[in-house]
């Protein structure tokens, strides 16, 4: 989780690298608690809570509401 300017810069650099790798057809796994990051960068989201997989959503079905509902169910 980025908390300062140095971490935020590193996060920006990471996002650029992720985009480059995705463009090469690679699969990228991202773990984040930030909704914009999850929804903006993911083709598919796997929802986990306390180490248990709660479900999987494709980009068109992944909203903060559907993710949260899945996480607490």
């Amino acid at each position: 989780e980025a908390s300062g300017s140095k971490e935020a810069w590193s996060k920006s650099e990471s996002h650029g690298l992720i985009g480059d790798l995705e463009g090469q057809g690679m699969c990228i796994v991202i773990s984040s608690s930030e909704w914009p990051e999850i929804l903006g960068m993911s083709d598919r989201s796997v929802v986990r809570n306390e180490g248990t997989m709660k479900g999987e959503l494709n980009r068109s079905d992944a909203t903060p509401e559907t993710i949260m509902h899945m996480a607490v169910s």
Side-chain angles (χ1 to χ4, degrees), residues 5-52:
S5 61
K6 184 175 181 182
E7 290 87 359
W9 179 85
S10 296
K11 188 176 233 183
S12 175
E13 290 290 309
S14 296
H15 288 182
L17 177 59
I18 289 168
D20 291 345
L21 294 172
E22 179 189 25
Q24 296 174 32
M26 298 188 130
C27 174
I28 310 297
V29 176
I30 300 170
S31 177
S32 178
S33 61
E34 297 181 25
W35 296 113
E37 188 169 45
I38 294 168
L39 298 174
M41 297 186 74
S42 302
D43 294 323
R44 182 176 57 172
S45 297
V46 175
V47 180
R48 297 178 61 92
N49 186 6
E50 296 184 10
T52 302

